[in-house]
Amino acid sequence: VTAALDIGGSETRAALVEDGRVRWRAAAATPAERRPEAVLDAALELLEPKQGRFTRLGVAVTGRVVAGRAYPLNERTLPGWRGFDLKEALEARTGLPIAVLNDARAAAYGEACYGAGRGISEFLFITVSTGVGAGLVLGGRLHLAASGLDAELGFTLLRASFDEVLTPLSAPSYRLPERAPLRPLELEASGTALDTYAQAYGWGGARELADRAEGGDARADAVYTRAAGAVTEKIADLAVLLGITRVALGGGVGLRPGYLARVRAALAALPEVYRPEIVPARLGADAGLIGAALYAEDTCS
Ligand code: BMX
């Protein structure tokens, strides 16, 4: 039996995984200060009841991972982690073999082996959640780069010119630069970005914005559809660049049927070569846990 942890900006999850299935799971909010030691304490506390039941541990963590160290690109998500040696810290605390990979790569691996990507040789998983993350399967194998930049989709760049979306709709408090500079995709299209735009309209957050958009509110739909469109453009590029034939959408925003419908609609406007199949992720929040466990089984002898 392999244990798994999934450490995200807002939630930390734990599980026991066997043959690609979650046998037991627990979750808790990631401690507010999110410092590494506090987060590890909370994560291991979740696994406490199952001490002795597992012989290795796979860890999915948001951020770039290089040789077991975590380097969040968006430091607001996990402040104070830059280069924290997650593998060494957990090996010291548990005495067990530890394998660490990025959370979206872990989810992509889980979906590729047991979910929406099963049997697909060129597969892309995208999570639209706190950030925008992704994982690639190429030639049937999970893509892991030495630099750890192995599908950091949220940090691909776009020229964010919102003039055509927000100005005519006169968002009361959102001041946009005249000629928006190049910006990371996730600053325009993540759950956190949608929270920001929702608040510019006096709405609660991303969930309310999506509800309004799906309920026909034109202002909400303009923001929601543009965010989905920005992700769709990246899907189109990856289809012709890497021969991606299927894309699974996951994460709190990505799993919404209304979001998937908007991605499909934007893609339908493009020629065939830019149009991989777009499907919902199948393993939901378990994907990262299952993928982390699989990765530990592959790498921890
Ligand atoms: C960010 C980046 C990715 C991560 C993605 C989704 C950080 C801390 N994380 O783009 O590594 O995969 O968010 O992360 O820079 P999630 O926490 O939203 O699942």
Side-chain angles (χ1 to χ4, degrees):
V1 174
T2 302
L5 291 174
D6 186 347
I7 299 172
S10 47
E11 197 168 32
T12 295
R13 299 187 180 99
L16 292 187
V17 181
E18 203 169 11
D19 303 326
R21 285 170 49 82
V22 171
R23 303 284 185 214
W24 169 86
R25 68 168 67 75
T30 300
E33 77 269 39
R34 288 166 297 173
R35 277 184 317 97
E37 301 303 338
V39 171
L40 292 197
D41 287 344
L44 291 176
E45 203 174 309
L46 285 176
L47 279 174
E48 187 58 40
K50 299 296 176 183
Q51 274 301 346
R53 291 283 309 281
F54 52 93
T55 55
R56 58 200 158 190
L57 172 59
V59 183
V61 62
T62 186
R64 180 181 180 179
V65 172
V66 180
R69 291 173 178 272
Y71 300 83
L73 289 115
N74 183 335
E75 300 210 344
R76 279 196 301 275
T77 305
L78 285 180
W81 281 65
R82 194 180 307 164
F84 179 73
D85 194 334
L86 199 48
K87 178 174 163 63
E88 186 185 67
L90 281 168
E91 281 172 348
R93 289 173 183 231
T94 65
L96 294 176
I98 306 288
V100 184
L101 76 171
N102 166 271
D103 60 348
R105 270 53 112 199
Y109 197 24
E111 290 288 342
C113 297
Y114 292 96
R118 194 173 189 138
I120 307 294
S121 56
E122 278 69 39
F123 170 68
L124 170 65
F125 168 80
I126 296 176
T127 174
V128 182
S129 33
T130 308
V132 174
L136 276 168
V137 169
L138 300 173
R141 295 175 60 80
L142 181 66
H143 172 58
L144 291 174
S147 72
L149 294 170
D150 24 47
E152 281 293 334
L153 185 67
F155 288 85
T156 57
L157 295 173
L158 55 77
R159 186 169 293 283
S161 52
F162 272 113
D163 333 346
E164 78 280 5
V165 174
L166 289 182
T167 313
L169 298 164
S170 63
S173 62
Y174 197 79
R175 290 284 161 266
L176 287 169
E178 274 312 300
R179 193 80 194 98
L182 285 172
R183 304 181 71 198
L185 170 68
E186 80 173 17
L187 293 190
E188 313 298 336
S190 64
T192 306
L194 292 176
D195 280 341
T196 305
Y197 293 128
Q199 280 135 31
Y201 280 104
W203 303 325
R207 191 184 309 277
E208 185 180 344
L209 185 148
D211 289 343
R212 284 171 176 268
E214 291 164 14
D217 177 315
R219 297 188 309 173
D221 190 47
V223 177
Y224 195 44
T225 298
R226 190 191 178 286
V231 171
T232 304
E233 286 174 24
K234 302 296 181 177
I235 289 171
D237 283 352
L238 292 169
V240 293
L241 194 67
L242 299 173
I244 300 296
T245 58
R246 182 179 296 173
V247 180
L249 300 181
V253 176
L255 278 167
R256 294 183 66 110
Y259 186 84
L260 186 138
R262 282 165 177 76
V263 170
R264 281 185 175 146
L267 209 57
L270 297 175
E272 175 71 24
V273 286
Y274 296 104
R275 296 208 307 260
E277 192 187 358
I278 308 292
V279 298
R282 208 170 295 164
L283 305 176
D286 285 350
L289 292 162
I290 292 168
L294 289 170
Y295 183 62
E297 287 156 15
D298 293 347
T299 51
C300 300
S301 50

